[in-house]
Every structure is written in structure tokens, then in C-alpha cells.
Amino acid sequence: MNLPIYQIDAFSDRPFAGNPAAVCPLESWLPTETMQAIAAENNLAETAFFVPKSGSEYEIRWFTPAVEVELCGHATLASAHVLYQYIGFEGTEITFHSRSGPLLVLREADGRLTLDFPSRPPQPLASHPDGLLDGLGATPLHVLAGPDLVALFASEAEVRAIRPDFAQLARVEYRAVIVTAPGTDGVDFVSRFFGPRVGVPEDPVTGSAHTTLIPYWAEKLGKTTLKARQVSPRGGDLWCELRGDRVRISGYAVTYLRGEIEVA
């Protein structure tokens, strides 16, 4: 069986930046173990699989090299890019049905794609979880928890300077650890994302993390429209908006690779 595969750099307007995701459009679902094996073989932070549902609606699933995940932003953005660029989708809005509910992607006039995702605000923690300080090699000002652990620092320079110990961070009993701080040069906030527990040591640009970061920084800064930057080595820019119990996360996407995989 031959399957199409695309590798898309999401949250970037040029190749070799942003977050690479593999996308495999399917006519019907493969066995879960086959999709997990494909994701492990791709060895990217995420591989997305989607199947048609009806009209502008699709079902979507995402896999890291190690596990299936409940929500992924950049691979959803990449999937929408594939639908628009290669499968002939012509509408302005796509609905992906997922384990996290319906997820919308809107096509903007300037070429950006906008994710409409649930807002997942973090809550303060009274203490540092085991492994956090040794894993970061730095002490955050505050620690909060949503689906991921959020460590707040005073400056972008501190976030950029972190050299994580992934073995220690894997002890932290959350899906991942996000470090964040106020941004500079017109950027409202910056972040990095470490997910060794799910097979992603450092994710270059993480859409799902911003479902937690946007409500936090919107309240902190007193504004609902924000510019964000993930300051991983590849880096990526995100345009963000808090809309009640939803967030909107916009970015560009570019194709790096088109091909075919053979599955016995």
C-alpha cells in the first residue's frame, strides 16, 4: 500500500524554520499501531493523519514518535496547508474533528492560516514539581499548571539561555514543560517547549502550548491580541487572540517535501 506524505514547516514563511510536521492524508483509518510506526519512522515531533468526514469536515489524529497525543497545533496547521495546496480544498474554513473536540482552521487573505482552539488557562502551583529545577538549571519566578507545566521567567534572555537536562525534565509529571517570559522588539511573549516524556525533547514551535499561554498573557498584559515567538533554535512566529473560551493562533506554512511511503 502506497500513501502520500508531505513534510510541512509550520509557523514559518520559509523552509528550514518553524516546526516540521509530517502529514498523511488517508481515505480511511489505518490501524493505530501502523500510524504509530509511521510516526516513529518519520521521527518528527508530530505526524498528522486525517480522513474525510463530510464536505469541509475531516477527522484528525496526531502521533509523536512515541505516543498519540490529544491536541497538536502545528500539525493541524500543516494538514490545512496540504488540503489547500494539494488536495484542492477551496473553502475558507476547515473543521477537524479530534479527541479535543472540533478544531477550526480559517484561511486569511494574507496567506496565514488561523487555528481556532479551546482556551486552557493555567492555574498557580504552590511548589516546584520534582525534576523541574534540575531539568531547567534555573529557578522560575512562578510555576503554573494546565495540560503542561508553565515556568515563568523575568526575561527573554533567561528563556533563551536555558540548557535543559531532558532526563530530569522527564521526571516532571506533566506532558511537557513550557518556559515563558515577556518578549522584546514588538513581541508580547516568548516561550520554549520541552516534552521528553512524549518523545519530543524540544519542540520548535508548539501551537497547543499557546492554548495555555494566550489566556495567561492576555490577562497579565491586559490585551486580547498578542504577538508571540517561540525561541527554539529553529524559531517561529505566532499571531494570537483570546476570544472567550477559545483562542486563535495564526501562522504561515511552507512545503519542504512531497513523497510517498510504502506500507506492507
Side-chain angles (χ1 to χ4, degrees):
M1 177 172 54
N2 294 342
L3 300 172
I5 187 168
Y6 303 84
Q7 187 170 321
I8 309 301
D9 288 338
F11 295 115
S12 176
D13 59 0
R14 65 189 189 282
F16 311 116
N19 199 353
V23 178
C24 293
L26 302 173
E27 293 300 319
S28 59
W29 289 118
L30 299 172
T32 295
E33 55 270 23
T34 301
M35 293 188 286
Q36 184 64 74
I38 291 170
E41 188 77 8
N42 291 337
N43 201 31
L44 296 170
E46 243 88 22
T47 297
F49 301 86
F50 64 80
V51 299
K53 185 174 174 66
S54 63
S56 62
E57 300 185 14
Y58 297 80
E59 295 178 348
I60 192 167
R61 295 169 70 180
W62 314 274
F63 294 78
T64 77
V67 297
E68 185 173 4
V69 297
E70 298 293 317
L71 184 66
C72 177
H74 83 280
T76 304
L77 194 84
S79 296
H81 175 81
V82 168
L83 279 164
Y84 280 119
Q85 295 296 317
Y86 304 109
I87 300 182
F89 187 85
E90 295 182 346
T92 58
E93 183 178 300
I94 302 169
T95 300
F96 289 107
H97 294 274
S98 75
R99 291 185 176 184
S100 294
L103 308 172
L104 305 183
V105 184
L106 302 95
R107 181 167 57 174
E108 307 292 350
D110 65 358
R112 284 185 292 170
L113 297 171
T114 296
L115 306 172
D116 185 302
F117 275 20
S119 173
R120 305 188 294 179
Q123 301 300 320
L125 281 185
S127 60
H128 298 137
D130 289 346
L132 179 66
L133 300 187
D134 289 338
L136 296 178
T139 301
L141 295 173
H142 303 289
V143 179
L144 307 99
D148 307 305
L149 195 74
V150 179
L152 177 68
F153 287 86
S155 70
E156 178 178 330
E158 291 175 89
V159 169
R160 289 181 178 273
I162 289 172
R163 299 295 178 263
D165 181 328
F166 294 119
Q168 291 294 330
L169 286 182
R171 295 173 52 214
V172 179
E173 293 186 354
Y174 286 84
R175 180 188 70 148
V177 175
I178 305 167
V179 294
T180 187
T184 58
D185 299 326
V187 173
D188 291 295
F189 67 91
V190 299
S191 65
R192 293 171 69 187
F193 180 98
F194 308 122
R197 287 174 70 93
V198 294
V200 184
E202 179 166 6
D203 197 35
V205 193
T206 315
S208 64
H210 287 75
T211 64
T212 297
L213 292 169
I214 292 169
Y216 172 79
W217 284 108
E219 181 179 3
K220 182 83 171 175
L221 300 176
K223 55 195 298 189
T224 57
T225 301
L226 307 107
K227 176 73 178 294
R229 179 168 296 148
Q230 199 153 327
V231 290
S232 65
R234 288 175 65 99
D237 294 317
L238 309 93
W239 288 260
C240 306
E241 184 180 3
L242 180 64
R243 297 169 65 96
D245 63 354
R246 307 286 292 183
V247 296
R248 289 196 170 181
I249 308 163
S250 300
Y252 294 100
V254 295
T255 303
Y256 168 70
L257 175 151
R258 287 187 287 164
E260 191 174 77
I261 57 177
E262 296 185 8
V263 179

